[in-house]
Amino acid sequence: LTRPAALNALNLSMVRTLYPVYQACEASDLVQCIVLRGEGHKAFCAGGDIKAIHESGKEGTSLCREFFREEYMLNHLIATMRTPHVAILDGITMGGGVGLSVHGPIRVATERSVFAMPETAIGFFPDVGGTHFLSRLPDGLGMYFALTGARLKGHELKQFGIATHFVPSRRLEELEEQLLTLPAESLHDADIARRVIAD
């Protein structure tokens, strides 16, 4: 995700770039693992590009409808792929950024991670499958996060089940190198990828 000046906010162009790449990766026996990260150290993805969506709504263009339809298609693809998907949640991870990560099997938090589903603050429901994954958090926590937009930071993401792993940011480069050099027999094996992170 390469919009660091906009905290890697997801727009329609990014969705349309990612979707065919993911389809190609899923169809290839050469792809061992997909690692998704945000450029810079401030954000993985701060959500959908609300400014562009707002402008589309005011102008009556189709961008708003197209964005949500295609964004949700991308979320579904991530949720149903065989290829191990590793999301590096280094920095702000909110709204659309949650949709790009939480549906995959491996989600890595760092000490810089900040998670929230703040949609209710603008009168919107927790989308990108939010009602699905939030409802599966223990002790009614998902309801709390959905209604309040409360934030989780660092280790809390793993503690509450948003992240599957915690890795200090200083070790991310090392982690990516290990993931991208997994042996051939690990193709399509998320368990092996999980063990690499655990080690």
Side-chain angles (χ1 to χ4, degrees):
L1 306 175
T2 55
R3 296 183 69 207
L7 299 177
N8 297 316
L10 189 65
N11 61 23
L12 185 57
S13 174
M14 293 165 74
V15 172
R16 287 179 172 172
T17 298
L18 286 170
Y19 192 83
V21 170
Y22 273 45
Q23 286 183 309
C25 288
E26 180 70 346
S28 173
D29 289 333
L30 300 177
V31 177
Q32 299 171 317
C33 183
I34 296 171
V35 178
L36 183 65
R37 61 180 177 82
E39 186 175 324
H41 303 300
K42 291 183 178 179
F44 167 69
C45 176
D49 189 342
I50 298 299
K51 182 179 178 182
I53 293 167
H54 177 69
E55 290 299 320
S56 171
K58 283 198 328 185
E59 296 167 6
T61 68
S62 63
L63 182 145
C64 182
R65 291 187 302 277
E66 292 173 9
F67 171 77
F68 284 114
R69 181 175 64 84
E70 295 181 38
E71 179 191 26
Y72 298 161
M73 288 172 58
L74 178 59
N75 296 157
H76 179 264
L77 179 58
I78 291 170
T80 56
M81 290 191 311
R82 296 176 304 126
T83 308
H85 183 267
V86 181
I88 309 291
L89 312 180
D90 187 31
I92 298 167
T93 304
M94 297 183 181
V98 176
L100 291 176
S101 58
V102 78
H103 302 298
I106 304 167
R107 306 169 304 274
V108 181
T110 74
E111 74 281 0
R112 296 188 291 227
S113 298
V114 180
F115 162 91
M117 290 295 288
E119 288 83 354
T120 51
I122 59 170
F124 195 40
F125 67 94
D127 69 331
V128 297
T131 53
H132 173 78
F133 74 83
L134 288 173
S135 67
R136 285 155 175 78
L137 296 182
D139 304 320
L141 289 168
M143 178 75 75
Y144 173 74
F145 294 135
L147 293 177
T148 65
R151 297 181 177 193
L152 295 175
K153 297 181 180 180
H155 279 283
E156 293 175 335
L157 275 75
K158 184 171 187 301
Q159 179 183 348
F160 292 110
I162 303 300
T164 56
H165 297 81
F166 180 91
V167 174
S169 59
R170 60 184 166 76
R171 295 195 59 199
L172 288 180
E173 187 174 337
E174 175 190 349
L175 170 64
E176 288 184 41
E177 289 173 2
Q178 289 185 45
L179 287 170
L180 296 176
T181 56
L182 288 173
E185 62 267 20
S186 70
L187 285 171
H188 311 301
D189 189 342
D191 289 335
I192 290 179
R194 287 191 186 97
R195 287 200 296 274
V196 168
I197 298 172
D199 292 342

